[in-house]
Amino acid sequence: MYHKIDYASFDMDEICKFMKDKIDWIRANLSSDSMIVVNFRDFSNTMTHFPDRVWHVVKFLSTLPPKDRVTGIAYEDMGRHLMDHLAVWTRAVRNEMERCGWADGQFIVH
């Protein structure tokens, strides 16, 4: 987990606004049809200790209007968690993406 973020003053709504601002900047300054993938750093640790943060971002990205959506979500695992846990978390995130209407969003592990 990245412990340098003060979640009391920079809450999940602020993080989502920040992310949307960066997505808009990429489209305005690099390419309007950029294939943007949002990477969840420390996905496994966050799912273990603060899963509501993951759900908040997944719901935010999944419920953006289709024209504003990114290509997908990626997450990394450093090998510290059991594959069984990763499989359940992966399926749960994918299910949430679909439940929120983002069935065509990519979801990759690297």
Side-chain angles (χ1 to χ4, degrees):
M1 248 171 311
Y2 190 68
H3 295 284
K4 294 184 180 183
I5 295 174
D6 178 4
Y7 286 98
S9 61
F10 195 62
D11 65 13
M12 293 309 299
D13 289 330
E14 289 297 318
I15 289 171
C16 290
K17 285 183 209 170
F18 178 81
M19 194 177 337
K20 180 66 168 83
D21 183 53
K22 298 306 170 201
I23 291 166
D24 292 342
W25 185 92
I26 290 168
R27 291 200 170 120
N29 294 286
L30 299 178
S31 175
S32 60
D33 59 349
S34 293
M35 295 183 70
I36 302 166
V37 176
V38 174
N39 183 56
F40 284 178
R41 184 174 179 262
D42 297 328
F43 173 81
S44 300
N45 286 339
T46 306
M47 283 300 286
T48 301
H49 301 290
F50 302 102
D52 55 308
R53 293 177 184 167
V54 174
W55 301 130
H56 194 99
V57 173
V58 169
K59 184 175 181 183
F60 169 75
L61 292 172
S62 298
T63 57
L64 286 171
K67 67 177 184 54
D68 294 336
R69 288 185 187 152
V70 297
T71 301
I73 297 171
Y75 80 81
E76 58 192 61
D77 176 62
M78 304 307 285
R80 295 186 187 127
H81 293 83
L82 297 173
M83 294 305 290
D84 292 348
H85 293 160
L86 291 174
V88 170
W89 295 333
T90 301
R91 180 76 271 177
V93 170
R94 183 72 222 173
N95 286 345
E96 184 67 3
M97 291 169 67
E98 291 175 3
R99 188 185 73 77
C100 291
W102 195 22
D104 61 341
Q106 301 296 307
F107 186 45
I108 62 171
V109 180
H110 69 96

